[in-house]
Amino acid sequence: MIPPRLPPPDRKILPVWDIFATAVVVLLIAFAVNNVITNMSLAGATPGFGFLWQNAGFDVSEALIPYSPENGYYRVIIVGLLNTLLLAVVSLVLATALGLLIGLMAVGPSPIGRIAASGYVEVFRNLPKLLILLILFVTAVNELPHVRSAVGFGGFYLSNRSLYFPTLVFTPQIWGVLASMGGAILLALLMQSRLKQHRIKTGKALPMLGACVPCVLLLPVLGAWVLDVQWVWSLPEFAGFDYKGGLRLSLQFIVIALTLGLYHGAQIGEVIRGGIEAVPSGQGEAAQALGLSRGQALRLIILPQVVRIILPSMSNQYVNLIKNTSVAIAVGYADLMSVAGTIINQSFRPLEMMLITMGMYLVICLSVTMMLNRMNERLRLAQH
Amino acid sequence: MYTCRERSSSYVNFGNKLMTSLKVTALCATAALLVTGSTAVAGQVMDDIKSSDELVCLVNPKSPGFSVPDSQGVFQGFNTDFCRMAAAAILGDASKADIRGIGFSDSMKTIVAGGAHMASRSITATGTRDADAGMAFVATTFYDGQGFMVPSALGVSSASQLSGATVCAEDGSTTLLTLADWFGDHKIEYRVENIADKTARLEAFFSGKCDVYASDITALNSDRLLSDTPDAFTILPEVISAEPLTLVTQPDQDLEAAVFWAFQVMLNADKYDITSENIDAITADISAQPKAVRRMFAQDGATADMATKLGLPADWAYQVVKQVGSYGEVFDHHLGAETPFKLDRANSVNADFADGGLMYAYPIR
């Protein structure tokens, strides 16, 4: 039965309090802005962003784009921003995967799994993330081997400094391989929609994987053979003080991503557990009565409903995780907060740099929230 | 709201530094938004110190020899004594210095935001920093230079052999700029790791995650002692920067003058071998002393005249030496031969000018 709708709020009442509150907020903001400008000019400082083009003069531990101290402050800010984004993306994936696993274990049939999940959640939910980070970092630097005695496995080397791994040298021919790979994926997508139509028409599911995996794999191989690609690998090799060649993932990056993954994994696990428990058990039973397997019931009936329930809390988790990447400064990962701090000390532009940093975090978090909100809207349509 | 609470609670428990960082950010924001005109008016900060009857002074929370809390939680060390010097000169009582430990990055922001009266925390005076209207560099208490420390096992004897090495340094300090300059000028490749948390930074160096630890030579000397095996580390001969470590105050002509001249009293006392031990004997027989000493400690001496002009207690110079000591006394007590640091002041740039050092006592007259 659909409950009767509530009447819309009475619009005739004058929103006196609304107007009053708005006026107070606007006045406060105006006062603050005016004060900042007045006080800065009194102190002989003119707010401005021209300093962004001055030489930064300091190095960073890792950068995704070419950077040298000769570059301007603006470039080191971009370096920090990209490092923050990379860390956020990797941690988000880690935390979500871990959270999903923990959530499923917590409601699963295995008692050991349930105990393990709740033990994990209680430990990591109740410890401050900075403590987890410092413990992991100090343990990792002390327990992992020194760079001179790094452990190697198939071109990979792990030491307490970094994880070193081989990388493909990007020759022009590789574009051809990439293009054929793109073509293969397109083909696979096309096939998927045809297979879906086929299933709708006949009710029979054709083996999608069996048909697509070979073509996705075969086309690039064919492309590589046709173009006669020379695969050039850059291998990490120890020379002097450190490994040269290949690529590296710094220990601090790994440790911070792990910290955020573990910390938010526990919280996301709880969110997912709550979401699964909120789906009436009759849904799963009905699915099984219709002949779906346990896995199919989970994938096709339960999880879509879970996603709808947990989305608002998940966007909260994601936003928190993104902001929490700023603990990185403690162990020397050159994230946005770290470079902003150094810039403030060198240029003495705290107000401008804080505004820039705040603006960047705001844009990142708002985009994530907006994306998840739109997803939420779309999913909600199905629910009456 | 949830976010805010969650973030701050974890910072409160662990990571003093980040907690202060948070506080300072709030402080900065509040100060920027609410405080009305804070230009350098003579006497304003001085009046604040006198009316609150305490002098808020920032030090490094963990720097052996320079400022570390003792078993009672009271800060002790070379830098700490200059906080006490200022309190003795202005308030007549060295114990009225409210000494607070704070991370490097936040100390200057705190001064600019008006959260402390002065800082004695090994801050290098630089042109850009001094050009900022929010703080004044007053007196250089220690001449230092940036250097490198390496594990002795590395077999490195000169910084020019460091090509390709990973260097650990403090986040946000001038150390980073000096490193970039020096390695850039010498065309030597290196990697830097700027780690904010001191424990994490030192662990990274002691465990060999970094090959090299870069900081001021004196800091290297004291940080080495935090390792289990201090002798396993060598300080390289290169000194790659000038680091005049200087007292910083809020801009206020009276406060700046008081701190500067209190420091000159300590230098003059050093020059005339006057210490906290023998000052009473000296003043008891003041007429037999050299004229310069009489001007410093006699009741009608130059310092008494300065006291009226700057608004200090009449016997401020006596109180500084009596309660804190002479420069040499303070140096030897915290850093000298009897301490684990064994700094040889006589053969360093911090020696008295007469011994070939840079400590040049200005005339008090």
Side-chain angles (χ1 to χ4, degrees), chain B residues 222-258:
Chain B
S222 79
D223 285 346
R224 174 162 68 168
L225 300 174
L226 297 172
S227 142
D228 299 331
T229 52
D231 295 332
F233 301 99
T234 314
I235 294 172
L236 298 178
E238 282 84 355
V239 179
I240 63 168
S241 72
E243 309 282 341
L245 305 182
T246 304
L247 298 178
V248 177
T249 69
Q250 275 192 52
D252 174 308
Q253 288 166 18
D254 287 357
L255 176 63
E256 289 165 43

Coordinates of all heavy atoms in Angstrom, one line a residue, chain B residues 222-258:
Chain B
S222 N 73.3 16.0 17.6 CA 72.4 15.6 18.7 C 71.4 14.5 18.2 O 71.1 13.6 19.0 CB 71.6 16.8 19.2 OG 70.5 17.1 18.4
D223 N 71.0 14.5 17.0 CA 70.1 13.4 16.5 C 70.9 12.1 16.5 O 70.2 11.0 16.7 CB 69.6 13.7 15.1 CG 68.5 14.8 15.1 OD1 68.0 15.1 16.3 OD2 68.2 15.3 14.1
R224 N 72.2 12.1 16.2 CA 72.9 10.9 16.2 C 72.8 10.1 17.5 O 72.8 8.9 17.6 CB 74.4 11.2 16.0 CG 75.3 10.1 16.0 CD 76.6 10.4 15.4 NE 77.4 11.5 16.1 CZ 78.6 11.7 15.8 NH1 79.2 11.1 14.8 NH2 79.3 12.6 16.4
L225 N 72.7 10.9 18.6 CA 72.6 10.3 19.9 C 71.3 9.5 20.2 O 71.1 8.8 21.1 CB 72.7 11.3 21.0 CG 74.1 12.1 21.0 CD1 74.1 13.2 22.0 CD2 75.2 11.1 21.3
L226 N 70.3 9.8 19.3 CA 69.0 9.1 19.4 C 69.1 7.7 18.9 O 68.2 6.9 19.0 CB 67.9 9.9 18.8 CG 67.6 11.3 19.4 CD1 66.7 12.0 18.5 CD2 67.1 11.1 20.8
S227 N 70.2 7.4 18.2 CA 70.4 6.0 17.6 C 70.9 5.1 18.7 O 71.5 5.5 19.7 CB 71.3 6.0 16.5 OG 72.2 4.9 16.4
D228 N 70.7 3.8 18.5 CA 71.3 2.8 19.5 C 72.8 2.8 19.4 O 73.5 2.4 20.3 CB 70.7 1.4 19.2 CG 69.2 1.4 19.4 OD1 68.7 2.2 20.2 OD2 68.5 0.6 18.7
T229 N 73.3 3.1 18.2 CA 74.7 3.0 17.9 C 75.2 4.3 17.4 O 75.5 4.4 16.1 CB 75.0 1.8 17.0 OG1 74.2 2.1 15.8 CG2 74.7 0.5 17.5
P230 N 75.4 5.3 18.2 CA 75.8 6.7 17.7 C 77.1 6.6 16.9 O 77.3 7.4 16.0 CB 75.9 7.5 18.9 CG 75.1 6.8 20.0 CD 75.2 5.3 19.6
D231 N 78.0 5.7 17.3 CA 79.3 5.7 16.7 C 79.3 5.1 15.3 O 80.3 5.2 14.6 CB 80.3 4.9 17.6 CG 80.5 5.6 18.9 OD1 80.3 6.9 18.9 OD2 80.8 4.9 19.9
A232 N 78.2 4.5 14.9 CA 78.1 3.9 13.6 C 77.8 5.0 12.5 O 77.7 4.6 11.3 CB 77.0 2.9 13.5
F233 N 77.8 6.3 12.9 CA 77.5 7.3 11.9 C 78.5 8.4 11.9 O 79.1 8.7 12.9 CB 76.1 7.9 12.2 CG 75.0 6.9 12.2 CD1 74.5 6.4 13.4 CD2 74.4 6.5 11.0 CE1 73.5 5.4 13.4 CE2 73.4 5.5 11.0 CZ 73.0 5.0 12.2
T234 N 78.8 8.9 10.7 CA 79.9 9.9 10.5 C 79.3 11.1 9.9 O 78.4 11.1 9.0 CB 80.9 9.4 9.5 OG1 81.2 8.0 9.8 CG2 82.1 10.2 9.4
I235 N 79.7 12.3 10.4 CA 79.3 13.5 9.8 C 80.4 14.0 8.8 O 81.6 14.0 9.1 CB 79.1 14.6 10.9 CG1 78.0 14.2 11.8 CG2 78.9 16.0 10.3 CD1 77.8 15.1 13.0
L236 N 79.9 14.2 7.5 CA 80.9 14.5 6.5 C 81.4 15.9 6.6 O 80.8 16.8 7.2 CB 80.2 14.4 5.1 CG 79.7 13.0 4.8 CD1 79.0 12.9 3.4 CD2 80.8 12.0 4.8
P237 N 82.6 16.2 6.1 CA 83.3 17.5 6.3 C 82.5 18.7 5.7 O 82.7 19.8 6.2 CB 84.7 17.3 5.7 CG 84.5 16.2 4.8 CD 83.5 15.3 5.3
E238 N 81.8 18.5 4.6 CA 81.2 19.6 3.9 C 80.1 20.3 4.7 O 79.2 19.7 5.3 CB 80.5 19.2 2.6 CG 81.4 18.9 1.5 CD 82.0 17.5 1.5 OE1 81.7 16.8 2.5 OE2 82.7 17.1 0.6
V239 N 80.3 21.7 4.8 CA 79.2 22.5 5.4 C 78.6 23.3 4.2 O 79.3 24.1 3.6 CB 79.8 23.4 6.5 CG1 78.6 24.3 7.0 CG2 80.4 22.6 7.6
I240 N 77.4 23.0 3.8 CA 76.9 23.5 2.5 C 76.0 24.8 2.6 O 75.5 25.2 1.6 CB 76.2 22.4 1.7 CG1 74.9 22.0 2.5 CG2 77.1 21.2 1.5 CD1 74.0 21.1 1.6
S241 N 75.9 25.3 3.8 CA 75.1 26.5 3.9 C 75.4 27.3 5.1 O 76.1 26.8 6.0 CB 73.6 26.1 4.0 OG 73.3 25.6 5.3
A242 N 75.0 28.6 5.1 CA 75.1 29.4 6.3 C 73.8 29.4 7.0 O 72.8 29.6 6.4 CB 75.5 30.8 5.9
E243 N 73.8 29.0 8.3 CA 72.5 28.9 9.0 C 72.7 29.8 10.3 O 73.0 29.2 11.4 CB 72.2 27.5 9.4 CG 72.2 26.5 8.3 CD 70.9 26.6 7.4 OE1 69.9 27.2 7.9 OE2 71.0 26.1 6.3
P244 N 72.4 31.1 10.2 CA 72.5 31.8 11.5 C 71.2 31.6 12.2 O 70.1 32.1 11.8 CB 72.5 33.3 11.0 CG 72.1 33.2 9.5 CD 72.1 31.8 9.0
L245 N 71.2 30.8 13.3 CA 70.0 30.4 14.0 C 69.7 31.6 15.0 O 70.5 31.9 15.8 CB 70.3 29.1 14.8 CG 70.7 28.0 13.9 CD1 70.9 26.7 14.6 CD2 69.8 27.8 12.7
T246 N 68.5 32.1 14.8 CA 68.2 33.4 15.3 C 67.0 33.4 16.1 O 66.0 32.7 15.8 CB 68.1 34.4 14.1 OG1 69.4 34.3 13.4 CG2 67.9 35.8 14.6
L247 N 67.0 34.3 17.2 CA 65.7 34.4 18.0 C 64.7 35.2 17.2 O 65.1 36.2 16.5 CB 66.0 35.2 19.3 CG 67.0 34.5 20.2 CD1 67.3 35.4 21.5 CD2 66.5 33.2 20.7
V248 N 63.5 34.8 17.2 CA 62.4 35.5 16.5 C 61.4 36.0 17.5 O 61.0 35.3 18.4 CB 61.7 34.5 15.5 CG1 60.5 35.2 14.8 CG2 62.7 33.9 14.5
T249 N 61.0 37.3 17.3 CA 59.9 37.8 18.1 C 58.8 38.3 17.3 O 58.9 38.5 16.1 CB 60.4 38.9 19.0 OG1 60.6 40.1 18.2 CG2 61.6 38.6 19.8
Q250 N 57.7 38.6 17.9 CA 56.6 39.3 17.2 C 57.2 40.7 17.0 O 58.0 41.2 17.8 CB 55.4 39.5 18.1 CG 54.4 38.3 17.9 CD 53.1 38.6 18.6 OE1 52.5 39.6 18.3 NE2 52.7 37.8 19.5
P251 N 56.8 41.4 15.9 CA 57.4 42.7 15.7 C 56.9 43.7 16.7 O 55.7 43.9 17.0 CB 56.8 43.1 14.3 CG 56.0 42.0 13.8 CD 55.9 41.0 14.9
D252 N 57.9 44.3 17.5 CA 57.6 45.3 18.5 C 58.9 45.8 18.9 O 59.8 45.1 19.4 CB 56.9 44.5 19.7 CG 56.7 45.5 20.9 OD1 57.7 46.1 21.3 OD2 55.6 45.5 21.4
Q253 N 59.1 47.1 18.6 CA 60.5 47.7 18.8 C 61.0 47.5 20.2 O 62.2 47.2 20.4 CB 60.4 49.2 18.4 CG 60.3 49.4 17.0 CD 59.9 50.8 16.6 OE1 60.1 51.7 17.5 NE2 59.4 51.0 15.4
D254 N 60.2 47.7 21.2 CA 60.6 47.5 22.6 C 61.0 46.1 22.9 O 62.1 45.8 23.5 CB 59.5 47.9 23.6 CG 59.4 49.5 23.6 OD1 60.1 50.1 22.9 OD2 58.4 49.9 24.3
L255 N 60.2 45.1 22.5 CA 60.5 43.7 22.7 C 61.8 43.3 22.0 O 62.7 42.7 22.6 CB 59.3 42.9 22.3 CG 59.5 41.3 22.4 CD1 59.7 40.9 23.8 CD2 58.3 40.6 21.8
E256 N 61.9 43.8 20.7 CA 63.1 43.4 20.0 C 64.4 44.0 20.7 O 65.4 43.2 20.8 CB 63.0 44.0 18.6 CG 62.0 43.3 17.7 CD 61.7 44.1 16.4 OE1 62.6 44.6 15.8 OE2 60.5 44.2 16.1
A257 N 64.3 45.2 21.1 CA 65.4 45.8 21.8 C 65.7 45.1 23.1 O 66.9 44.8 23.4 CB 65.2 47.3 22.1
A258 N 64.7 44.7 23.9 CA 64.9 44.1 25.1 C 65.6 42.7 24.9 O 66.6 42.4 25.6 CB 63.6 43.9 25.9

